[in-house]
Amino acid sequence: MKFIPLLQPKSLILAAFVAGTPIAIGVVATLTGLAATPAVAIDVIDFGQKWVVSVDEARALIANGALVLDARNADLKAASPIQNARPIRWQDLSNTSGRISTDNAAISLRLQALGVDAGRPIVVLADPFQGLGEDAEIVWALRSLGHDRVVMVDGGLPALLAAGVPQVQPPLGQGSFIVDHRDDWSVDANAVSRDLVQLDARSMSELLADDGRLKPLPEIAAWLAAKGIDHDTALATESAWLTAVLIDAGYHARQVVGASEYALTAAN
C-alpha cells in the first residue's frame, strides 16, 4: 500500500479545502506549478460569495483535485468529452415540475455516485456559446441542495481550454454528500413581492462580452445603477445564470421558482 506524504503541496491544499479555509490562488498556483505572475497571489477563493471563478482559479482548483462536472448538452458531451469529468444534467436534480427534487435520499445517492463530497470543491463546465446557463443551473441547484463550494468558470469551457487543456483528476470514488436543502437563493413565484426588483432573463446579453466572458465588474455595476439597483437592492430573476452572476458580484439576488411559465432551463 502506498501512502501520500501529508506535507506534499496537494495534500496540504486538499486539507485546507476540507477544513473550510479560504486559499490564496497565488499559493495554490505556486505549489502546483501554475503560477505565471506573483500578481495572482492577491486573489482568494471565498466560496461564500464566489460563484464564478476566473480561468486561473479554475485551473488551480482542478489541479488540486476539484471534482469537475460537465453540464453541456448530450451532443456536445459526445462530440468533445472532457476526460475524467462527470456528466450531469439539470434533469438529474429536478422533478417533473421543473423544481429541485425533494427526494433527498435519491438525490444524495445520485450525487454520491458522481463522487460529490461536501468538502471537495466542484467546478461546473459548460459552453456559453452552446447553451448559456447550463453550468449556472447546476451551480445554483447544488448550492440549494447544501453544497457550498460549487463554482462555474467565467467564459466557460472555451475560455478554460484556451489556456491549455487542464488535467482533470478522476473522481476519488463514491462520494459521501448528503442533501440539506437551503432556500437562501430562491423565491417562490407566488410569493414575489413588490420589494423585489425583477430582472428579465434577456438582461443576460447585457452582461456578457463578445468572447463569452463577463464584462468587467464596474461595467456591470454601472449598468445596474442605471436601473436604480445597488448592492442593497433585493433582486429576483428567472435565470439561474443571472442569479449566479449577480450573487458573485455582491448583489442580493434570488432565483424565481415554481412558475410553470418560468420552468428552470438553460434557455431561461
Side-chain angles (χ1 to χ4, degrees):
M1 181 181 295
K2 296 178 65 177
F3 292 90
I4 300 175
L6 292 178
L7 294 181
Q8 283 188 352
K10 289 187 180 181
S11 298
L12 292 172
I13 294 169
L14 184 57
F17 280 148
V18 173
T21 306
I23 298 177
I25 290 299
V27 174
V28 175
T30 300
L31 292 176
T32 60
L34 291 174
T37 65
V40 204
I42 64 173
D43 291 336
V44 174
I45 299 179
D46 176 6
F47 289 103
Q49 179 180 315
K50 198 83 165 176
W51 288 40
V52 184
V53 294
S54 69
V55 167
D56 286 344
E57 289 171 325
R59 289 179 66 83
L61 287 170
I62 292 170
N64 287 279
L67 180 68
V68 177
L69 299 180
D70 184 354
R72 295 175 299 162
N73 67 57
D75 291 341
L76 290 177
K77 290 172 184 172
S80 55
I82 307 167
Q83 187 175 9
N84 293 327
R86 305 305 300 268
I88 192 169
R89 308 172 304 155
W90 162 250
Q91 290 83 352
D92 296 332
L93 306 176
S94 64
N95 56 29
T96 55
S97 67
R99 288 175 177 260
I100 294 178
S101 174
T102 55
D103 188 341
N104 291 357
I107 295 299
S108 293
L109 288 174
R110 193 167 297 164
L111 292 173
Q112 289 168 12
L114 292 174
V116 176
D117 281 314
R120 187 181 184 190
I122 298 174
V123 177
V124 186
L125 299 177
D127 186 337
F129 300 107
Q130 302 287 339
L132 178 62
E134 289 175 326
D135 44 4
E137 287 178 344
I138 302 302
V139 170
W140 175 82
L142 288 178
R143 294 231 177 204
S144 296
L145 289 169
H147 199 299
D148 58 3
R149 300 183 182 190
V150 192
V151 294
M152 62 185 189
V153 184
D154 187 12
L157 181 60
L160 191 63
L161 295 180
V165 179
Q167 297 298 311
V168 178
Q169 299 180 30
L172 300 175
Q174 185 82 2
S176 59
F177 178 73
I178 301 295
V179 166
D180 182 16
H181 281 269
R182 298 181 58 179
D183 59 3
D184 306 53
W185 309 286
S186 306
V187 58
D188 192 280
N190 297 317
V192 175
S193 68
R194 294 180 180 179
D195 296 332
L196 286 172
V197 175
Q198 295 195 61
L199 283 177
D200 193 286
R202 287 172 292 186
S203 302
M204 296 160 70
S205 61
E206 299 287 345
L207 306 183
L208 273 181
D210 293 339
D211 63 359
R213 298 181 193 238
L214 290 170
K215 290 181 178 178
L217 187 55
E219 290 186 28
I220 293 176
W223 180 80
L224 290 168
K227 296 179 174 294
I229 296 170
D230 59 26
H231 286 86
D232 294 324
T233 306
L235 299 169
T237 172
E238 300 92 30
S239 161
W241 186 88
L242 266 180
T243 300
V245 167
L246 291 169
I247 290 173
D248 186 81
Y251 291 85
H252 299 288
R254 285 187 283 174
Q255 167 76 39
V256 177
V257 296
S260 58
E261 65 270 31
Y262 293 131
L264 184 59
T265 66
N268 286 342

